[in-house]
Structure formats: C-alpha cells, structure tokens
Amino acid sequence: MSIYYKTKKSTINILIHLFLLTVAATCIYPLLWMVASSFKTQETIFSDLSLIPSKFHFENYYLAFTQGDFGRYFLNSIFYTAAVVFGIVIISSLAAYAFSRLKFPGRNVIFIIFMAAMMIPIPGSFVALYVLLNKLHLRNTPLGYILCMISVGLSTSIFLLKTFFDKMPKELEDAARIDGCSKLGIWWHVALPLAKPALAVVVVFNALNVWNEYVLALIIFDSKSLMPLQRALMMFRGEFLTNYPLLMAGLTITALPIIILYLFMQKYIVKGVTSVTVGG
C-alpha cells in the first residue's frame, strides 16, 4: 500500500510540475522572442525563429532612440511614473491609516465610496475627466495627466494598505503615543516602516500601470513632446509597413525598466501580497 501511495504522490507531483513548467514557458517565450527579434533584420525576423540570432544587429537600439525620439519620451515616462507613484503612496497611506486607525463621522460611507470607484472601468471616466480638465485648464499639461493617474490608482492602493494597517498591533501606537508622537508622527515613524511590503506592492502595481498607460495620454495631450514612452512605439508602425525589429527594440527598452523594478522588489512584493491576503 505504501508503494502505491508513494507512486501516486510522485505521479501527481510530476504532473503538477509539468503543468507549471508549461505555463512558465508560455509566459516567458514571447518575452525572449521579443528580445531576440530586436537583434534581427526585417528580412530575417520571421524566417529565423531561433532565440539566438546568427548575427546581432545592435543598430536597432540606436535607430530606436534616434528615429523614435525615445530619449525624450523615456524621460517623460520616468517623470510621470515617479510623480504618480509618489503621490499615490503619500495620499493612499494617509487615507488608509485614517480609515483603519482613526474614528470620525462617515468613515465607513466614505470608504465604501472609494471602494465603489474600483468597479468603474477606466475608459468609462474618460469623458468626465476630459471635460473636468478642460474647465480647470489642465488638459495638455503634465499636472493634469499626473492628477488623473493618481486618481486611477488610489482606490486599490487604499484598500491594500488599509487591510495591512488593520492588522497592526494597537500596542505599538500606544507606545509611540507615550513617547510623544502625534497621529502624523505615528503614521510616519510606526505605520509606514511596518508597511514596507504592502508599499512595495503598491509601488510596483502602480508603476506598471503608469508605465504602460497610453490611451489616457493620447486623450489628454495634444503636444507630442509631452507624450509618454508608449507613444514612441507608434513611430515604427506604418499604415502599410511595420518595422518589426525596431518595434521589438522599442518594446524591449520599454519593458526593461519595469522588469528591473520588479526583480529588485520581488522579495517585498511576495511578502506584501502574502501578508495582505493571508494575514501573516
């Protein structure tokens, strides 16, 4: 009997690992193909399907930067991502701390309104945002775009951080209060350091959202010089002919920063997701 159960357990483990390896390969292969294709030519990109090109064409990256004006769009994307993520971290952590630890009239109603905003699809708010920005004279300005993107990411970030702050021991607040900390001091010196894993999740998810955003930028900005990096990718897509090697080089440049950010913060992300969902 023991041999039967051992064999059954081993078989199930092998099948699970085979399934996970298949899923991983399915996810990673397009990324590897994109990087490999960025070193090929227009003639060989679809005829040579190997992941290691016979000859590396590094000039694709040079042309992507010069022809697509990637330098300007790259700096725009970095500025928008940093400003939006900073704004979301400050506002959402303050709001989540208030919803979790402070008692004030209408707290639950306001929190429910914030959570209801998560159910509204982003394209559904485009018309309202466009009209509002026009009336405030913020359309075609970086500030208007940054404020819109902050509002897009606030609801989910507040929910994640509030869930984390709900589990924070009350004794830590009492000890900080005895040491003379104000409510704002407790948020800064106690709550934020403890919430590093949850903040890492908020940073990566919102950075990914802003970095990949394109449609809202197309609606808000009239000036091409204010567009984010995603706009530069359209330079290689013509009406009748698309320069795929340059497009793949552009996609690699676009994807690389967010992959590096994820790899640096991977430990905190796993810890943050686990602590928020499981309560560890």
Side-chain angles (χ1 to χ4, degrees):
M1 290 294 288
S2 62
I3 295 176
Y4 169 75
Y5 284 116
K6 283 182 180 177
T7 307
K8 182 180 177 182
K9 186 178 178 182
S10 300
T11 306
I12 292 174
N13 281 334
I14 291 171
L15 290 175
I16 290 174
H17 280 83
L18 282 175
F19 174 74
L20 293 176
L21 285 171
T22 305
V23 172
T26 307
C27 294
I28 292 174
Y29 181 79
L31 189 65
L32 296 178
W33 186 85
M34 176 186 75
V35 176
S37 300
S38 68
F39 293 106
K40 298 176 183 176
T41 63
Q42 184 78 348
E43 291 74 26
T44 60
I45 188 168
F46 292 117
S47 58
D48 179 12
L49 298 179
S50 64
L51 293 180
I52 302 176
S54 55
K55 185 179 179 182
F56 287 83
H57 293 270
F58 292 98
E59 67 271 16
N60 289 335
Y61 286 88
Y62 172 76
L63 292 174
F65 266 101
T66 54
Q67 291 187 8
D69 204 4
F70 262 55
R72 178 196 298 174
Y73 295 122
F74 197 84
L75 291 177
N76 286 346
S77 280
I78 288 178
F79 173 69
Y80 296 144
T81 303
V84 170
V85 170
F86 178 77
I88 287 177
V89 166
I90 296 298
I91 297 172
S92 64
S93 60
L94 279 169
Y97 182 75
F99 283 128
S100 175
R101 316 303 289 191
L102 305 182
K103 293 182 179 178
F104 52 90
R107 182 181 68 166
N108 293 333
V109 175
I110 298 173
F111 183 68
I112 290 171
I113 292 173
F114 265 107
M115 293 305 100
M118 293 170 60
M119 302 174 191
I120 301 174
I122 295 174
S125 61
F126 280 176
V127 176
L129 284 174
Y130 185 86
V131 174
L132 182 64
L133 291 176
N134 257 337
K135 288 186 178 295
L136 295 174
H137 304 288
L138 287 175
R139 204 177 68 78
N140 198 31
T141 63
L143 180 60
Y145 181 67
I146 289 169
L147 291 177
C148 286
M149 291 308 298
I150 287 177
S151 72
V152 167
L154 269 185
S155 298
T156 308
S157 304
I158 290 174
F159 176 73
L160 286 172
L161 290 172
K162 181 185 179 298
T163 307
F164 191 89
F165 289 146
D166 284 343
K167 297 162 190 164
M168 193 172 72
K170 195 173 182 301
E171 291 75 13
L172 291 174
E173 284 183 84
D174 295 336
R177 201 169 287 117
I178 291 171
D179 289 340
C181 266
S182 61
K183 289 176 181 176
L184 203 58
I186 296 173
W187 164 77
W188 179 256
H189 294 292
V190 179
L192 279 187
L194 287 175
K196 278 182 183 175
L199 288 173
V201 177
V202 169
V203 167
V204 172
F205 282 178
N206 284 293
L208 188 65
N209 187 35
V210 181
W211 192 263
N212 290 330
E213 205 287 322
Y214 171 69
V215 179
L216 186 60
L218 198 63
I219 293 172
I220 290 179
F221 293 129
D222 292 333
S223 173
K224 288 183 180 177
S225 62
L226 296 176
M227 290 280 187
L229 189 58
Q230 304 299 326
R231 173 67 178 79
L233 297 176
M234 302 304 292
M235 302 292 291
F236 307 125
R237 186 182 171 191
E239 185 177 358
F240 303 106
L241 179 65
T242 299
N243 194 329
Y244 288 104
L246 291 188
L247 184 60
M248 293 300 123
L251 286 170
T252 304
I253 295 170
T254 306
L256 202 57
I258 210 70
I259 292 174
I260 293 173
L261 177 68
Y262 179 82
L263 291 176
F264 269 109
M265 304 187 77
Q266 184 184 17
K267 181 178 68 175
Y268 295 106
I269 293 168
V270 174
K271 190 177 177 182
V273 171
T274 306
S275 61
V276 169
T277 55
V278 181

mmCIF file of all heavy atoms in Angstrom, residues 79-98:
data_model
loop_
_atom_site.group_PDB
_atom_site.id
_atom_site.type_symbol
_atom_site.label_atom_id
_atom_site.label_comp_id
_atom_site.label_asym_id
_atom_site.label_seq_id
_atom_site.Cartn_x
_atom_site.Cartn_y
_atom_site.Cartn_z
ATOM 1 N N PHE A 79 9.403 60.611 -15.433
ATOM 2 C CA PHE A 79 8.852 61.700 -14.623
ATOM 3 C C PHE A 79 7.407 61.405 -14.216
ATOM 4 O O PHE A 79 7.046 61.538 -13.034
ATOM 5 C CB PHE A 79 8.917 63.009 -15.414
ATOM 6 C CG PHE A 79 8.225 64.151 -14.736
ATOM 7 C CD1 PHE A 79 8.737 64.694 -13.564
ATOM 8 C CD2 PHE A 79 7.048 64.673 -15.250
ATOM 9 C CE1 PHE A 79 8.085 65.742 -12.921
ATOM 10 C CE2 PHE A 79 6.399 65.716 -14.612
ATOM 11 C CZ PHE A 79 6.920 66.251 -13.448
ATOM 12 N N TYR A 80 6.574 60.977 -15.178
ATOM 13 C CA TYR A 80 5.163 60.700 -14.860
ATOM 14 C C TYR A 80 5.057 59.546 -13.852
ATOM 15 O O TYR A 80 4.280 59.615 -12.900
ATOM 16 C CB TYR A 80 4.388 60.336 -16.128
ATOM 17 C CG TYR A 80 4.296 61.444 -17.147
ATOM 18 C CD1 TYR A 80 4.334 61.188 -18.512
ATOM 19 C CD2 TYR A 80 4.170 62.765 -16.735
ATOM 20 C CE1 TYR A 80 4.253 62.212 -19.433
ATOM 21 C CE2 TYR A 80 4.098 63.795 -17.652
ATOM 22 C CZ TYR A 80 4.143 63.513 -19.006
ATOM 23 O OH TYR A 80 4.071 64.544 -19.919
ATOM 24 N N THR A 81 5.854 58.483 -14.074
ATOM 25 C CA THR A 81 5.764 57.324 -13.180
ATOM 26 C C THR A 81 6.206 57.695 -11.768
ATOM 27 O O THR A 81 5.520 57.340 -10.786
ATOM 28 C CB THR A 81 6.655 56.184 -13.727
ATOM 29 O OG1 THR A 81 6.249 55.868 -15.062
ATOM 30 C CG2 THR A 81 6.512 54.941 -12.876
ATOM 31 N N ALA A 82 7.317 58.402 -11.644
ATOM 32 C CA ALA A 82 7.816 58.773 -10.313
ATOM 33 C C ALA A 82 6.826 59.692 -9.601
ATOM 34 O O ALA A 82 6.533 59.497 -8.412
ATOM 35 C CB ALA A 82 9.180 59.461 -10.449
ATOM 36 N N ALA A 83 6.293 60.691 -10.321
ATOM 37 C CA ALA A 83 5.368 61.640 -9.689
ATOM 38 C C ALA A 83 4.072 60.964 -9.266
ATOM 39 O O ALA A 83 3.569 61.189 -8.152
ATOM 40 C CB ALA A 83 5.067 62.781 -10.668
ATOM 41 N N VAL A 84 3.527 60.106 -10.142
ATOM 42 C CA VAL A 84 2.257 59.442 -9.819
ATOM 43 C C VAL A 84 2.433 58.469 -8.656
ATOM 44 O O VAL A 84 1.632 58.446 -7.713
ATOM 45 C CB VAL A 84 1.712 58.703 -11.071
ATOM 46 C CG1 VAL A 84 0.526 57.820 -10.688
ATOM 47 C CG2 VAL A 84 1.298 59.705 -12.132
ATOM 48 N N VAL A 85 3.485 57.654 -8.699
ATOM 49 C CA VAL A 85 3.701 56.671 -7.623
ATOM 50 C C VAL A 85 3.944 57.381 -6.295
ATOM 51 O O VAL A 85 3.400 56.969 -5.255
ATOM 52 C CB VAL A 85 4.887 55.746 -7.983
ATOM 53 C CG1 VAL A 85 5.275 54.888 -6.783
ATOM 54 C CG2 VAL A 85 4.514 54.851 -9.161
ATOM 55 N N PHE A 86 4.734 58.468 -6.315
ATOM 56 C CA PHE A 86 4.974 59.225 -5.073
ATOM 57 C C PHE A 86 3.659 59.784 -4.525
ATOM 58 O O PHE A 86 3.375 59.677 -3.323
ATOM 59 C CB PHE A 86 5.966 60.368 -5.355
ATOM 60 C CG PHE A 86 6.251 61.228 -4.165
ATOM 61 C CD1 PHE A 86 7.102 60.795 -3.162
ATOM 62 C CD2 PHE A 86 5.656 62.480 -4.030
ATOM 63 C CE1 PHE A 86 7.358 61.591 -2.054
ATOM 64 C CE2 PHE A 86 5.895 63.283 -2.934
ATOM 65 C CZ PHE A 86 6.758 62.834 -1.936
ATOM 66 N N GLY A 87 2.853 60.358 -5.406
ATOM 67 C CA GLY A 87 1.567 60.914 -4.968
ATOM 68 C C GLY A 87 0.649 59.840 -4.414
ATOM 69 O O GLY A 87 -0.002 60.034 -3.372
ATOM 70 N N ILE A 88 0.589 58.696 -5.087
ATOM 71 C CA ILE A 88 -0.295 57.615 -4.624
ATOM 72 C C ILE A 88 0.175 57.070 -3.283
ATOM 73 O O ILE A 88 -0.643 56.812 -2.381
ATOM 74 C CB ILE A 88 -0.347 56.496 -5.695
ATOM 75 C CG1 ILE A 88 -1.175 56.953 -6.885
ATOM 76 C CG2 ILE A 88 -0.952 55.225 -5.100
ATOM 77 C CD1 ILE A 88 -1.224 55.961 -8.027
ATOM 78 N N VAL A 89 1.481 56.894 -3.102
ATOM 79 C CA VAL A 89 1.996 56.350 -1.838
ATOM 80 C C VAL A 89 1.660 57.285 -0.676
ATOM 81 O O VAL A 89 1.185 56.840 0.377
ATOM 82 C CB VAL A 89 3.525 56.131 -1.940
ATOM 83 C CG1 VAL A 89 4.129 55.892 -0.552
ATOM 84 C CG2 VAL A 89 3.824 54.937 -2.837
ATOM 85 N N ILE A 90 1.879 58.583 -0.856
ATOM 86 C CA ILE A 90 1.609 59.543 0.232
ATOM 87 C C ILE A 90 0.112 59.614 0.534
ATOM 88 O O ILE A 90 -0.323 59.453 1.682
ATOM 89 C CB ILE A 90 2.151 60.948 -0.143
ATOM 90 C CG1 ILE A 90 3.675 60.904 -0.286
ATOM 91 C CG2 ILE A 90 1.748 61.955 0.925
ATOM 92 C CD1 ILE A 90 4.424 60.536 0.976
ATOM 93 N N ILE A 91 -0.697 59.850 -0.505
ATOM 94 C CA ILE A 91 -2.139 60.046 -0.288
ATOM 95 C C ILE A 91 -2.812 58.763 0.203
ATOM 96 O O ILE A 91 -3.593 58.773 1.163
ATOM 97 C CB ILE A 91 -2.810 60.544 -1.589
ATOM 98 C CG1 ILE A 91 -2.245 61.906 -1.980
ATOM 99 C CG2 ILE A 91 -4.317 60.652 -1.400
ATOM 100 C CD1 ILE A 91 -2.702 62.396 -3.337
ATOM 101 N N SER A 92 -2.499 57.633 -0.455
ATOM 102 C CA SER A 92 -3.178 56.380 -0.085
ATOM 103 C C SER A 92 -2.765 55.903 1.307
ATOM 104 O O SER A 92 -3.596 55.366 2.042
ATOM 105 C CB SER A 92 -2.897 55.290 -1.121
ATOM 106 O OG SER A 92 -1.529 54.975 -1.148
ATOM 107 N N SER A 93 -1.484 56.097 1.681
ATOM 108 C CA SER A 93 -1.072 55.658 3.025
ATOM 109 C C SER A 93 -1.720 56.526 4.100
ATOM 110 O O SER A 93 -2.140 56.020 5.146
ATOM 111 C CB SER A 93 0.454 55.697 3.146
ATOM 112 O OG SER A 93 0.941 57.013 2.936
ATOM 113 N N LEU A 94 -1.833 57.835 3.854
ATOM 114 C CA LEU A 94 -2.521 58.710 4.813
ATOM 115 C C LEU A 94 -4.004 58.337 4.915
ATOM 116 O O LEU A 94 -4.557 58.223 6.024
ATOM 117 C CB LEU A 94 -2.373 60.172 4.368
ATOM 118 C CG LEU A 94 -1.048 60.863 4.721
ATOM 119 C CD1 LEU A 94 -0.953 62.197 3.995
ATOM 120 C CD2 LEU A 94 -0.939 61.082 6.223
ATOM 121 N N ALA A 95 -4.635 58.139 3.759
ATOM 122 C CA ALA A 95 -6.064 57.803 3.764
ATOM 123 C C ALA A 95 -6.309 56.433 4.399
ATOM 124 O O ALA A 95 -7.236 56.266 5.198
ATOM 125 C CB ALA A 95 -6.595 57.821 2.325
ATOM 126 N N ALA A 96 -5.473 55.458 4.045
ATOM 127 C CA ALA A 96 -5.651 54.104 4.594
ATOM 128 C C ALA A 96 -5.435 54.100 6.108
ATOM 129 O O ALA A 96 -6.156 53.422 6.847
ATOM 130 C CB ALA A 96 -4.658 53.149 3.919
ATOM 131 N N TYR A 97 -4.443 54.877 6.575
ATOM 132 C CA TYR A 97 -4.205 54.949 8.019
ATOM 133 C C TYR A 97 -5.397 55.589 8.726
ATOM 134 O O TYR A 97 -5.822 55.133 9.801
ATOM 135 C CB TYR A 97 -2.937 55.762 8.295
ATOM 136 C CG TYR A 97 -2.592 55.857 9.751
ATOM 137 C CD1 TYR A 97 -2.038 54.771 10.424
ATOM 138 C CD2 TYR A 97 -2.833 57.021 10.462
ATOM 139 C CE1 TYR A 97 -1.735 54.839 11.781
ATOM 140 C CE2 TYR A 97 -2.532 57.105 11.810
ATOM 141 C CZ TYR A 97 -1.984 56.026 12.458
ATOM 142 O OH TYR A 97 -1.698 56.104 13.805
ATOM 143 N N ALA A 98 -5.957 56.630 8.109
ATOM 144 C CA ALA A 98 -7.127 57.288 8.709
ATOM 145 C C ALA A 98 -8.329 56.347 8.738
ATOM 146 O O ALA A 98 -9.020 56.246 9.759
ATOM 147 C CB ALA A 98 -7.460 58.555 7.910
#
